[in-house]
Amino acid sequence: MEAYDPLDLKNQLCYPIYLCSKEIIRRYTPWLNELDLTYTQYIVMMYFWKQKRSNVKDLGKALLLDPSTLTPLLKKLENKGFLKRERSVKDERNLEVSITEKGMALREKALNVPERMGKCIDLSEEEAETLYGLLAKVLTNIEEEMESND
């Protein structure tokens, strides 16, 4: 083993993860364009299709997105009529976000996106569950390591 082998791309776990992420998002783009959403907006909408309402802090924590990313994203989704933002009655420092009827209606249009993506990725259910589990473990380990350094 040479001294610089650790820097070889073929020895980097992060490199194929990066490439997969980039290519998966690229494949989503034409389907999301039909919905007038970016990929990040899509994951926010998936969150609200289930939660219906949330404060920005909880949303950021759930999606691992910081306020500087969320603020313009939520404004755009509000301008499109998919979400509504308003100050909390209990604490005006908190911003509450809720899905609108138009936002809920978009869920029906998005229903075929996961199936289309699944065909593109072409993993068995077992392979998909294994990959999801491994990636979730990596994220958990990274989060725990970050928390221990804070």
Side-chain angles (χ1 to χ4, degrees):
M1 182 166 145
E2 292 186 31
Y4 296 105
D5 279 355
L7 297 177
D8 193 329
L9 282 176
K10 72 178 183 346
N11 295 324
Q12 301 300 308
L13 182 59
C14 60
Y15 185 61
I17 292 172
Y18 160 75
L19 290 177
C20 284
S21 175
K22 183 174 74 71
E23 290 306 308
I24 286 170
I25 291 170
R26 187 177 67 80
R27 287 302 302 250
Y28 267 108
T29 299
W31 302 320
L32 296 180
N33 284 346
E34 294 171 12
L35 305 173
D36 192 25
L37 295 173
T38 65
Y39 181 76
T40 310
Q41 290 170 347
Y42 176 62
I43 63 172
V44 168
M45 292 305 298
M46 285 192 289
Y47 176 86
F48 281 104
W49 288 329
K50 183 169 178 105
Q51 300 300 325
K52 311 296 187 261
R53 182 175 191 84
S54 178
N55 65 47
V56 174
K57 184 178 179 181
D58 290 344
L59 173 64
K61 187 175 181 180
L63 301 181
L64 299 178
L65 295 172
D66 59 66
S68 65
T69 300
L70 278 174
T71 299
L73 191 126
L74 293 172
K75 281 182 182 180
K76 286 180 183 175
L77 289 169
E78 184 176 41
N79 288 338
K80 292 176 185 192
F82 299 145
L83 299 177
K84 182 179 180 183
R85 300 176 311 136
E86 53 196 350
R87 292 278 162 209
S88 170
V89 175
K90 295 176 186 172
D91 183 350
E92 285 196 14
R93 295 173 294 177
N94 290 328
L95 191 61
E96 297 284 330
V97 183
S98 57
I99 193 162
T100 64
E101 285 184 33
K102 183 178 178 181
M104 283 305 295
L106 187 65
R107 179 172 65 166
E108 194 66 34
K109 294 178 184 175
L111 203 50
N112 68 356
V113 173
E115 181 184 346
R116 292 163 110 180
M117 200 62 216
K119 288 178 182 175
C120 171
I121 293 174
D122 195 27
L123 294 176
S124 70
E125 190 173 327
E126 184 180 309
E127 289 169 327
E129 287 175 9
T130 299
L131 180 58
Y132 189 95
L134 289 170
L135 292 172
K137 181 178 180 179
V138 168
L139 283 172
T140 298
N141 292 346
I142 289 171
E143 288 172 13
E144 287 174 358
E145 192 272 337
M146 287 175 59
E147 287 173 7
S148 71
N149 287 333
D150 286 345

